[in-house]
Amino acid sequence: MNYKERNSNFELLRIIAMLLIVFHHSIFHGVLAYSVTMWQGTPVSDQVWVTTFVGELIAMFGKVAVAVFVMISGYFLVNSSSNWKKSLRKIFSLVIQVYFYSMVIYLVGAHFGWINPKDLNTIRQAFLPFFYNTYWFATEYLLLYLVYPYLNALIHSISREQHRNLILIVSVFSTVVPTIFIHFTNYNSYGNLVMFVLYYIIGGYIRLYTIEDEKKKGLLLTIGSILLMAGVIFWHDYMGRITHNQQYYGNSFAYAEQNSLFVLLVALGTMMFFKHISLGHNKIINTIAATTFGVYLIHDNPIMEQVIWLKWLKMPALLTPNIGHLLIAVGIICPSIFIICSLIDFIRIKLFNLIAFIFNKAKKTM
């Protein structure tokens, strides 16, 4: 099912999720880029501990948005037929889009002197983006796309109760245990794929089955989980403040990471809620939603994240006791970046469609 055929409720959710990811990156790669809260070396001083906490509140929805993106894929793909031609076309489209932005940004960066074009690691990231962690989400999503037909076969071969139990079992080991024991293990790339599989089967469950009072329960679950996650982060930051133990700050944001139970619950509740929002077909929403992956590829490219957050905007300078300054700056900057990147990808889509049209026309005349 493509963007034009979909009800706009989940397309609106895509837009919100990507905007939250931009906000997340403004803090993670910007304001707190050098802070111990993001596992860097600079300790949190008493003067900015509240600003640090506010920054973490802004950033804590980033991984929720990632979970939502994958759950939406599970929601729409779970009933799709296993058509390898169609799958290969989608995989090819994903790969082309990633390579396009990776290489174009490399060439632009080299032209304007943002990078050393001869640096081996920079070249690897630009020309082999799926192998050198240029875009971790794109790599994990590609792997998920390769296995989703088999996940569908599993999902449709088991009962509702078995499907629910499978979600619970994977959730316990992938989110509950790491949330209780935050240094339990380092899941790395394979752990991300496990999380993506979990999100996918949850999205499939939401599509296949309806829960009583689902919209209301989803809203309560979302709000409750957000409050719990914010409360745990605040407790760690406050303990860091009164004990002057930087370890508390270092552990605080772990509860908003990919393996956090809070992240999973917020994403689950959000999906349950948006499932029952009826917007019909909105062309503007669907058009913007089609650019969200491009927004990610542009602003979170390793070159661009350095240029945008550190070189141009100097976001770490916002880490001051002036919380209002931080909120105003981030509130203006992040939507602006989203809009600019969305417009760029809109042009890219039109260009690619024109090239495809010319190619198909030439193919027919041969």
Side-chain angles (χ1 to χ4, degrees):
M1 188 177 283
N2 59 41
Y3 286 101
K4 293 181 179 179
E5 296 171 326
R6 290 182 183 173
N7 185 294
S8 297
N9 57 337
F10 283 120
E11 302 312 299
L12 176 61
L13 183 55
R14 285 183 200 273
I15 295 170
I16 295 171
M18 183 50 64
L19 185 57
L20 291 174
I21 287 174
V22 177
F23 275 99
H24 169 83
H25 289 149
S26 75
I27 303 299
F28 190 84
H29 297 309
V31 178
L32 299 179
Y34 306 124
S35 173
V36 69
T37 56
M38 300 302 167
W39 310 291
Q40 302 303 317
T42 305
V44 178
S45 68
D46 291 349
Q47 290 74 26
V48 298
W49 83 271
V50 177
T51 309
T52 298
F53 170 66
V54 172
E56 289 176 300
L57 289 184
I58 296 170
M60 73 181 190
F61 296 102
K63 297 305 182 183
V64 172
V66 169
V68 164
F69 262 104
V70 183
M71 287 183 188
I72 291 174
S73 294
Y75 185 91
F76 284 112
L77 290 175
V78 69
N79 285 330
S80 63
S81 57
S82 183
N83 185 326
W84 274 106
K85 278 191 174 181
K86 183 179 178 181
S87 295
L88 286 174
R89 280 198 301 270
K90 286 186 174 291
I91 291 171
F92 180 74
S93 176
L94 171 69
V95 171
I96 289 297
Q97 192 174 347
V98 169
Y99 268 94
F100 173 79
Y101 279 119
S102 182
M103 290 190 288
V104 166
I105 290 172
Y106 169 82
L107 293 174
V108 171
H111 176 75
F112 287 103
W114 299 340
I115 58 169
N116 176 6
K118 296 180 181 180
D119 178 71
L120 181 59
N121 187 55
T122 303
I123 293 172
R124 285 172 174 172
Q125 286 192 318
F127 292 91
L128 296 170
F130 288 103
F131 300 97
Y132 285 93
N133 202 33
T134 306
Y135 300 107
W136 75 268
F137 177 87
T139 301
E140 301 300 332
Y141 192 82
L142 177 63
L143 293 174
L144 177 67
Y145 214 89
L146 290 172
V147 302
Y148 92 84
Y150 305 103
L151 295 177
N152 286 353
L154 170 65
I155 289 170
H156 287 287
S157 68
I158 59 179
S159 67
R160 177 174 182 170
E161 183 181 6
Q162 290 171 322
H163 192 164
R164 182 199 64 205
N165 290 343
L166 176 63
I167 291 171
L168 291 174
I169 291 169
V170 180
S171 297
V172 167
F173 289 100
S174 296
T175 66
V176 177
V177 173
T179 301
I180 297 172
F181 307 101
I182 58 175
H183 297 299
F184 174 71
T185 185
N186 184 356
Y187 287 89
N188 290 321
S189 180
Y190 296 107
N192 285 328
L193 181 57
V194 170
M195 292 305 301
F196 275 35
V197 169
L198 173 61
Y199 298 150
Y200 185 93
I201 62 177
I202 289 174
Y205 187 92
I206 293 171
R207 176 65 180 271
L208 295 175
Y209 308 110
T210 299
I211 302 169
E212 186 179 355
D213 294 325
E214 191 168 22
K215 185 178 180 180
K216 180 180 178 181
K217 289 178 179 177
L219 181 61
L220 292 174
L221 180 61
T222 301
I223 295 172
S225 300
I226 288 173
L227 292 175
L228 282 172
M229 179 160 57
V232 171
I233 292 172
F234 175 80
W235 183 83
H236 278 78
D237 287 345
Y238 181 70
M239 290 301 295
R241 164 67 178 84
I242 64 174
T243 66
H244 298 96
N245 184 345
Q246 293 293 317
Q247 188 65 43
Y248 283 108
Y249 292 116
N251 291 338
S252 62
F253 203 69
Y255 297 95
E257 278 297 316
Q258 203 72 71
N259 293 100
S260 169
L261 177 62
F262 302 123
V263 167
L264 179 68
L265 294 178
V266 174
L268 173 60
T270 303
M271 285 290 295
M272 291 166 61
F273 178 76
F274 268 83
K275 177 183 176 181
H276 296 280
I277 292 179
S278 180
L279 296 177
H281 173 81
N282 187 298
K283 186 176 180 180
I284 295 175
I285 290 175
N286 291 12
T287 300
I288 297 172
T291 69
T292 51
F293 188 58
V295 173
Y296 160 70
L297 294 177
I298 296 168
H299 91 277
D300 202 42
N301 178 278
I303 295 171
M304 293 308 300
E305 73 181 35
Q306 293 289 317
V307 171
I308 293 172
W309 306 121
L310 302 180
K311 181 181 176 67
W312 287 347
L313 299 175
K314 297 178 172 48
M315 296 295 282
L318 293 172
L319 187 58
T320 69
N322 192 336
I323 299 171
H325 188 198
L326 169 67
L327 293 175
I328 292 171
V330 171
I332 294 172
I333 288 168
C334 293
S336 300
I337 288 174
F338 179 93
I339 292 169
I340 292 168
C341 293
S342 181
L343 288 172
I344 292 171
D345 197 59
F346 178 77
I347 295 170
R348 195 266 320 160
I349 291 171
K350 293 296 183 183
L351 176 63
F352 276 31
N353 288 342
L354 177 61
I355 293 171
F357 174 77
I358 295 172
F359 177 78
N360 290 332
K361 193 172 182 180
K363 190 176 179 181
K364 290 178 181 179
T365 58
M366 291 177 65

